[in-house]
């Protein structure tokens, strides 16, 4: 039973906190009316993963080329998927299809780039990993502090397929990165990792659901979070083992540090089990930095601020250690280190304003009806059209 | 496959619910259905003062405006609230003064259940056996309360709720509804409107209650709901340990039990509340009948350094919806929750706790052991939260589930809400089936599959069993084995 998808043009799809799955991420409270649709825009090729090669697919303001699909049909393929929000105070959504053919192997390097302020972004990925296929998805989410950003990936896996994911995020005014995995096939293996580092009043929600319906499924989840100042981290993880999904081995961990006095962490690690030949476990901890470790470092001559930074980095870094490819791991480490040393400005307004203005003017009104429900019947423009309807 | 066959055989012969008999006693009922008249009827029956009636009527109005909650992982046909008797009482002369005046049938019932209503019977046991006082609630009314004089000497008030309303109105008015407000939830509002009896305990400052107190609830009459209300107040520096037991006859239709328990612990006080719940679970094959156990239990650790400890062994009921909770308001107050929930047949349980940390340096500990067998469903649902002012709050939660059989379900739904940087919360949960290795080991030492399972399950729940008062621990241990009979897989 897959819950309905959020559609920013349809207020009746905006959940409030009375919807159990959204109790800590109240969309209806902050999104009062449908935002004006984002205009067409473009970006220079690049993005945080530029150095790692692979084909680039840039989805700017919700617009992707008409044939926006990523299909992997062989070993060792790399794709860079960039979701760029480039216009202040507007909204956009897009849906991308990703297909890993049986036996193929894809490294999906995804970035959420907030190059404007106050936008509303809603990105949906429909991912299919064929039998024996492998998908590694790495997400770097750098949204603006006053943005609302929702990403949802629905993943279906074939027999003996493997899916590994690591999400790094600094949150937004309200941000949710949701992953739903189901594997009807036998022997699928899933790794779902994440880390969040939240300052100011940023909010990040990591929600996941792994539905084990096939035999001998394996799931390993590790999410680490650090909340500074008045940030709020939300972790919701649900592991379902259906009747007959014997031999499932699922482990889930969520560990968070609250470093600011007004920070908040809400967690709900759920196990829903209908089969008996299983081993499932979850662990969840929330607390402050270990005073003993801090004392030890200081006794070795490390200044307090540095000791704190070191411990925080080590704490979060654990989630990155599980990334297999070294070059990818290094990019993620550098991304994290940069944000640990200088927290992102509490307002995203300064960032990308220069480029945004030009883009708005250039795009004019032509793309304005993009988000109207009737999108499907409209002929796609060369740079737009993609799949912004749900 | 011999073991499998044996399992099937034992399943068949199992589930003789030992407390399923009914008692033939002349009773008087309120008319079927629920309206303002029913509330007035109950209040008049109990000769209550005006303020109590008004409180009930207000609760009834709130209840009318509420909806039955549906968020729990339980699936049942809602009770028909207009088809129940809200009051059923054995016909007796006005307030029996001594046991000799209580209907012998009722005395016989308690004898069958092994509940000592005669004080000398308690003492007749092994020398040095601890005494415990009993308040016996039969359907809607309390039939007898033992050891009252001895308790009175210590200043402890232990009586039925109706009596407390008459004799200690100042205490009842001060504390009733102060922990579970009337509109707290659907079932609490219903209870507030129609509760008939229950137990009342007040332990004065500095007094350590000289014996265990206990209430034994028995639902007997057909088509009745039992709505009891328990209020326990431990004044500054007081200590009390309270036990609660429950059974009901086997009946094909569902019976409703919607109780409210409020505990209040003032500075340095400690309350230990233990429950062994063994309501009729319904037919294991068809799921017909059984008790709906929709209970609101909450403790208010109002005082600094106060402590409340909940221990529950839940083996009965068709549907359980129950979350004994602690509001940790006082500085340095402590809440504990130890639970064993066993479901078999077609039982459904959604149970757990809430630890709400409001004061500084409050601590809580949750140990929950769920065992599901047959075609049952067993959910742990818990909340641990820390308010921004609850600096230094600490919680440790462990919830383990054990699955016995292919068709049962076990769920874990913990909620953690930490709103300050110095709170430290740890939670761990596991779900597994009985270890084949351990079973094999026990069997090659000569134990039968059944004995081996009982041994392993008892080991699994031991951490909680040892928190029970001694008299209960023995009963509970037997109950664990009985509840699981025939579930070996």
């Amino acid at each position: 039973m897959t819950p309905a998808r959020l559609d920013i043009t349809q207020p009746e799809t905006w959940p409030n906190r009375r919807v159990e799955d959204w109790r800590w991420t109240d969309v209806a409270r902050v999104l009062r009316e449908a935002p004006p649709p984002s205009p067409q825009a473009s970006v220079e090729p690049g993005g945080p993963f530029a150095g790692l090669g692979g084909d680039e697919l840039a989805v700017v303001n919700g617009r992707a080329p008409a044939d926006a699909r990523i299909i992997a049909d062989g070993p060792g393929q790399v794709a860079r998927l960039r979701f760029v929000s480039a216009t202040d105070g507007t909204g956009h959504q897009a849906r991308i299809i990703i297909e890993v053919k049986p036996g193929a192997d894809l490294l999906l390097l995804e970035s959420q780039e907030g190059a404007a302020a106050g936008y509303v972004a809603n990105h949906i990925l429909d991912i299919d990993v064929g039998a024996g296929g492998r998908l590694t998805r790495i997400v770097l989410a750098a949204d603006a502090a006053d943005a609302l950003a929702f990403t949802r990936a629905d993943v279906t896996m074939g027999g003996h397929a493997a899916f590994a994911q690591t999400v790094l995020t600094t949150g937004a005014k309200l941000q949710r990165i949701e992953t739903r995995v189901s594997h009807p096939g036998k022997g699928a293996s899933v790794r779902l990792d994440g880390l969040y580092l939240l300052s100011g009043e940023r909010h990040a929600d990591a929600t996941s659901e792994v539905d084990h319906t096939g035999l001998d499924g394996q799931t390993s989840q590790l999410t680490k979070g650090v909340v500074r100042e008045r940030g709020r981290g939300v972790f919701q993880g649900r592991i379902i083992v259906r009747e007959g999904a014997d031999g499932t081995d699922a482990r889930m961990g969520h560990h968070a540090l609250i470093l600011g006095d007004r920070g908040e962490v809400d967690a709900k690690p759920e196990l829903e089990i209908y089969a008996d030949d299983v081993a499932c476990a979850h662990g969840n901890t929330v607390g402050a930095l270990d005073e003993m470790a801090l004392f030890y470092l200081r006794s070795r001559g490390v200044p307090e601020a540095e000791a704190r930074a070191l411990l925080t980095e080590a704490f979060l870094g654990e989630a990155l250690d599980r990334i297999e490819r070294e070059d990818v791991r290094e990019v993620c480490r550098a991304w994290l280190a940069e944000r640990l040393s200088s927290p992102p400005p509490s307002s995203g307004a300064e960032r990308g304003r220069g480029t945004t203005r030009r883009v708005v003017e250039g795009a004019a009104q032509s793309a304005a009806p993009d988000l109207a429900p009737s999108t499907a019947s409209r002929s796609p423009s060369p740079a737009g059209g993609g799949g912004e309807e749900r | 496959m011999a073991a499998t066959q044996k399992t099937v055989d034992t399943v068949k012969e199992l589930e003789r619910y030992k407390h399923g008999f009914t008692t033939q006693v002349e009773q008087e009922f309120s008319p079927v259905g629920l309206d303002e008249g029913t509330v007035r009827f109950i209040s008049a029956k109990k000769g209550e003062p005006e303020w109590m009636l008004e409180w009930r009527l207000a609760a009834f109005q709130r209840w009318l405006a509420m909806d039955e909650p549906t968020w729990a992982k339980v699936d049942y046909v809602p009770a028909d609230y207009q088809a129940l008797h809200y009051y059923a009482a054995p016909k007796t002369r006005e307030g029996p003064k001594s046991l000799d005046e209580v209907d012998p049938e009722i005395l016989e019932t308690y004898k069958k259940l092994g509940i000592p209503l005669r004080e000398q019977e308690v003492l007749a046991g092994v020398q040095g056996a601890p005494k415990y006082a009993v308040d016996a609630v039969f359907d809607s009314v309390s039939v007898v309360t033992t050891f009252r004089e001895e308790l009175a000497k210590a200043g402890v008030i232990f009586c039925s709720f109706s009596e407390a309303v008459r004799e200690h109105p100042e205490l009842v008015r001060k504390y009733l509804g102060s922990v579970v407000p009337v509109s707290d939830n659907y079932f609490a509002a219903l209870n507030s409107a129609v509760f008939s009896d229950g137990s009342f305990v007040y332990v004065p400052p500095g007094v350590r209650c000289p014996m265990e107190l206990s209430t034994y609830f028995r639902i007997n009459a057909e088509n009745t709901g039992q709505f009891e209300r328990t209020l326990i107040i431990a004044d500054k520096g007081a200590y009390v340990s309270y036990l609660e037991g429950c059974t009901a006859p086997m009946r094909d239709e569902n019976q409703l039990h919607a109780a409210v328990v409020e505990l209040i612990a003032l500075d340095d006080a400690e309350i230990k509340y233990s429950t062994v719940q063994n309501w009729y679970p319904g037919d294991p094959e068809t799921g017909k009948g059984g008790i709906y156990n929709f209970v609101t239990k909450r403790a208010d650790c109002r005082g600094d350094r106060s402590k409340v400890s909940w221990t529950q062994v839940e083996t009965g009921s068709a549907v359980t919806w129950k979350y004994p909770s602690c509001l940790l308001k006082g500085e340095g107050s402590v809440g504990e929750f130890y639970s064993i929930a066993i479901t078999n047949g077609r039982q459904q349980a959604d149970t757990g706790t809430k630890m709400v940390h409001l004061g500084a340096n409050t601590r809580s500990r949750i140990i929950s052991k769920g065992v599901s067998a047959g075609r049952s469903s067993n959910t742990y649902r818990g909340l641990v939260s820390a308010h921004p002012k609850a600096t230094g709050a600490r919680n440790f939660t462990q919830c383990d589930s054990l699955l016995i059989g292919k068709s049962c379900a076990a769920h874990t739904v913990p909620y953690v809400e930490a709103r300050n940087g110095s709170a430290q919360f740890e939670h761990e949960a596991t779900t597994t089936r009985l270890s084949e290795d351990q079973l094999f080991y026990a069997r090659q030492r000569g134990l039968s599959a059944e004995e081996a399972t009982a041994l392993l399950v008892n080991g699994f729940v031991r951490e909680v069993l040892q928190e029970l008062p001694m008299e209960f621990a023995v009963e509970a241990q037997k109950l664990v084995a009985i509840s699981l009979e025939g579930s070996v897989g």
Side-chain angles (χ1 to χ4, degrees):
Chain A
M1 191 183 58
T2 322
R5 288 172 168 178
L6 179 83
D7 184 335
I8 60 172
T9 67
Q10 309 285 327
E12 65 275 11
T13 68
W14 304 345
N16 57 37
R17 63 193 173 84
R18 279 185 293 277
V19 177
E20 177 61 28
D21 262 8
W22 294 78
R23 58 182 291 131
W24 292 311
T25 301
D26 188 342
V27 180
R29 192 177 61 86
V30 289
L31 189 58
R32 295 296 173 83
E33 52 184 23
S38 304
Q40 193 174 324
S42 61
V43 286
E44 294 296 315
F49 290 115
L52 294 174
D55 293 335
E56 174 174 316
L57 172 64
V59 180
V60 186
N61 279 357
R63 282 168 183 72
D67 58 344
R69 269 172 188 262
I70 295 175
I71 298 174
D73 50 10
Q77 303 197 347
V78 180
R80 286 183 289 118
L81 175 60
R82 298 175 65 198
F83 290 113
V84 184
S85 298
T87 311
D88 290 0
T90 62
H92 51 264
Q93 46 196 2
R95 171 170 170 256
I96 301 293
I97 292 172
I98 292 157
E99 208 179 314
V100 179
K101 299 276 188 199
D105 180 2
L106 175 67
L107 170 64
L108 178 69
L109 301 167
E110 185 180 321
S111 53
Q112 286 181 26
E113 302 168 36
Y119 56 85
V120 184
N122 182 28
H123 295 126
I124 290 168
L125 289 87
D126 277 314
I127 301 176
D128 185 63
V129 186
R134 292 172 61 86
L135 172 64
T136 304
R137 178 182 179 218
I138 311 289
V139 182
L140 296 181
D143 278 303
D146 54 359
L148 311 183
F150 310 100
T151 305
R152 172 163 160 184
D154 287 358
V155 185
T156 312
M157 298 169 69
H160 296 284
F163 174 56
Q165 171 175 294
T166 308
V167 176
L168 288 77
T169 182
T170 51
K173 182 178 179 185
L174 198 71
Q175 184 201 59
R176 168 139 152 158
I177 298 178
E178 187 174 344
T179 313
R180 291 178 181 272
V181 183
S182 71
H183 62 77
K186 191 185 170 190
S189 100
V190 178
R191 175 172 70 70
L192 286 183
D193 295 345
L195 73 79
Y196 55 85
L197 172 65
L198 309 174
S199 322
E201 295 188 12
R202 283 169 176 258
H203 172 115
D205 172 341
T207 293
S208 66
E209 180 178 292
V210 183
D211 193 349
H212 300 83
T213 51
L215 289 171
D216 300 328
Q218 281 202 11
T219 297
S220 167
Q221 255 187 291
L222 178 65
T223 300
K224 311 251 347 198
V226 166
V227 174
R228 298 157 154 176
E229 295 156 62
R230 300 172 68 98
R232 185 185 194 190
V234 174
F235 172 81
Q236 301 187 105
R238 184 183 293 131
I239 287 177
I240 305 173
V241 182
R242 302 277 174 199
E243 200 168 338
D246 286 331
T248 300
D249 187 336
R251 331 235 135 207
M252 180 198 290
H254 169 249
H255 307 283
L257 295 178
I258 302 183
L259 300 185
D261 269 348
R262 305 307 303 262
E264 174 170 347
V265 171
D266 302 309
K268 182 166 62 140
E270 271 182 87
L271 298 174
E272 201 176 318
I273 316 250
Y274 302 91
D276 79 327
D277 186 9
V278 297
C280 297
H282 66 228
N284 182 69
T285 56
V286 182
L289 271 185
D290 183 355
E291 288 298 325
M292 291 293 282
L294 208 56
F295 179 81
Y296 173 79
L297 283 177
R298 293 186 62 197
S299 76
R300 308 295 290 181
V302 182
E304 187 177 342
E306 204 175 309
R308 282 184 184 278
L310 210 58
L311 288 174
T312 310
E313 190 169 354
F315 176 81
L316 288 173
E318 204 190 326
L320 301 181
D321 293 343
R322 293 163 37 119
I323 298 175
E324 272 177 35
R325 265 181 59 166
E326 198 184 342
D327 52 351
V328 178
R329 205 161 57 223
E330 287 315 314
V331 170
C332 293
R333 265 195 219 294
W335 189 90
L336 175 65
E338 188 188 327
R339 281 155 182 85
L340 271 171
S341 56
S342 61
S346 48
S347 158
E350 320 74 27
R351 285 188 88 186
R353 184 149 264 173
T355 55
T356 311
R357 285 267 163 72
R358 282 196 305 277
V359 174
V360 179
E361 286 152 17
Q365 298 291 310
S366 66
D370 251 15
L371 283 160
S374 61
T375 345
S377 59
R378 191 173 45 82
S379 59
S381 61
E388 55 273 88
E389 71 274 19
R390 310 194 292 118
Chain B
M1 286 292 106
T4 321
Q5 189 48 47
K6 194 169 174 195
T7 309
V8 174
D9 295 344
T10 353
V11 168
K12 277 184 199 147
E13 61 171 80
L14 160 87
E15 291 303 325
R16 290 148 307 175
Y17 180 72
K18 295 184 175 61
H19 311 296
F21 59 89
T22 58
T23 307
Q24 295 306 320
V25 56
E26 220 187 321
Q27 292 198 299
E28 73 176 318
F29 295 97
S30 68
V32 169
L34 176 57
D35 55 22
E36 228 180 82
T38 320
V39 178
R40 287 180 189 279
F41 174 90
I42 294 169
S43 189
K45 259 294 158 222
K46 316 211 70 88
E48 286 175 354
E50 189 61 26
W51 61 266
M52 195 69 243
L53 174 64
E54 272 164 24
W55 194 81
R56 284 172 180 276
L57 289 173
F60 179 68
Q61 288 307 325
R62 300 296 285 268
W63 179 75
L64 285 179
M66 295 169 93
D67 293 321
E68 193 160 340
T70 53
W71 42 259
K73 271 198 179 68
V74 290
D75 183 20
Y76 63 94
V77 183
D80 181 350
Y81 296 98
Q82 294 304 338
L84 294 177
H85 290 289
Y86 284 82
Y87 183 78
K91 272 194 183 155
T92 43
R93 291 168 292 270
E94 199 45 41
K97 289 288 175 292
S98 77
L99 276 181
D100 302 331
E101 291 176 43
V102 175
D103 192 314
E105 283 287 341
I106 294 175
L107 292 180
E108 188 56 29
T109 303
Y110 284 93
K111 203 172 164 191
K112 275 200 228 173
L113 294 168
I115 307 302
L117 292 192
R118 290 176 189 276
E119 297 180 7
Q120 69 274 26
E121 282 171 9
V122 178
L123 303 164
V126 191
Q127 217 189 357
K131 284 186 223 173
Y132 66 106
V134 177
D135 180 25
V137 177
F138 192 84
D139 285 329
S140 301
V141 293
S142 165
V143 285
V144 66
T145 311
T146 62
F147 282 111
R148 301 177 53 151
E149 281 162 28
E150 193 166 338
L151 288 169
K153 265 185 243 160
V156 176
I157 303 171
F158 179 43
C159 61
S160 73
F161 205 94
S162 335
E163 221 178 309
V165 171
R166 284 196 303 271
E167 284 165 29
H168 308 283
E170 69 300 339
L171 286 173
V172 175
R173 282 187 91 158
K174 183 168 174 193
Y175 293 108
L176 179 67
S178 70
V179 185
V180 179
V182 289
S183 54
D184 185 77
N185 68 70
Y186 188 78
F187 301 112
L190 177 63
N191 174 289
S192 304
V194 301
F195 76 87
S196 40
D197 218 331
S199 307
F200 176 84
V201 178
Y202 173 77
V203 188
V207 171
R208 191 178 169 88
C209 186
M211 65 185 85
E212 305 272 348
L213 304 183
S214 83
T215 300
Y216 199 89
F217 296 105
R218 174 79 179 166
I219 297 182
N220 185 59
E222 251 175 299
N223 287 323
T224 52
Q226 189 176 53
F227 305 93
E228 89 274 2
R229 192 138 191 139
T230 301
L231 180 55
I232 300 177
I233 302 137
D235 214 318
K236 290 179 183 171
Y239 169 85
V240 61
S241 167
Y242 185 89
L243 325 171
E244 177 199 293
C246 2
T247 55
M250 289 162 82
R251 294 194 188 280
D252 276 351
E253 75 280 356
N254 298 106
Q255 285 169 295
L256 178 62
H257 174 245
V260 172
V261 175
E262 296 179 281
L263 311 185
I264 293 136
L266 302 181
D267 288 357
D268 301 296
E270 180 176 348
I271 302 175
K272 185 172 171 61
Y273 193 104
S274 316
T275 307
V276 172
Q277 185 262 103
N278 188 22
W279 295 116
Y280 176 53
D283 186 278
E285 281 307 306
T286 59
K288 223 175 167 190
I291 301 281
Y292 288 166
N293 192 30
F294 301 148
V295 177
T296 308
K297 292 186 169 179
R298 194 172 302 155
D300 189 346
C301 294
R302 245 168 242 189
D304 293 347
R305 299 165 303 279
S306 56
K307 177 176 176 184
V308 168
S309 173
W310 296 100
T311 307
Q312 61 171 22
V313 178
E314 299 279 320
T315 59
S317 295
V319 182
T320 301
W321 181 98
K322 180 181 169 188
Y323 315 91
S325 308
C326 294
L327 304 174
L328 302 167
K329 288 184 194 157
E331 203 175 308
S333 56
V334 178
E336 290 177 338
F337 176 75
Y338 299 97
S339 167
I340 299 173
I342 298 177
T343 54
N344 200 351
R346 288 187 174 268
Q347 284 175 267
Q348 305 175 57
D350 194 304
T351 185
T353 184
K354 286 183 192 176
M355 292 291 172
V356 182
H357 293 258
L358 299 167
N361 300 319
T362 45
R363 283 173 294 148
S364 62
R365 182 177 163 85
I366 300 171
I367 306 287
S368 162
K369 304 279 181 178
V371 180
S372 40
R375 273 177 287 179
S376 67
S377 156
N378 197 333
T379 304
Y380 166 83
R381 186 184 299 275
L383 167 74
V384 177
S385 75
H387 190 264
K389 284 186 186 142
T391 51
R394 291 206 65 153
N395 165 267
F396 174 75
T397 303
Q398 186 184 338
C399 39
D400 298 319
S401 304
L402 195 62
L403 293 148
I404 304 177
K406 285 271 165 238
S407 315
C408 54
H411 313 307
T412 313
V413 192
Y415 294 74
V416 178
E417 297 179 349
R419 296 207 183 89
N420 82 65
S422 59
Q424 203 165 332
F425 289 169
E426 294 167 62
H427 173 103
E428 58 186 43
T430 60
T431 304
T432 48
R433 66 168 170 177
L434 280 178
S435 153
E436 290 290 330
D437 290 352
Q438 289 173 7
L439 273 175
F440 179 78
Y441 176 78
R443 296 203 59 201
Q444 61 100 357
R445 305 296 291 179
L447 297 182
S448 70
E450 195 108 294
E451 288 164 337
T453 306
L455 183 75
L456 294 184
V457 171
N458 261 310
F460 176 74
V461 301
R462 196 190 48 161
E463 255 181 293
V464 175
L465 280 183
Q466 65 199 17
E467 293 296 327
L468 284 170
M470 207 260 288
E471 312 83 86
F472 257 29
V474 180
E475 191 190 338
Q477 199 160 353
K478 280 189 220 144
L479 207 53
V480 167
I482 292 168
S483 310
L484 286 168
E485 257 170 39
S487 56
V488 185

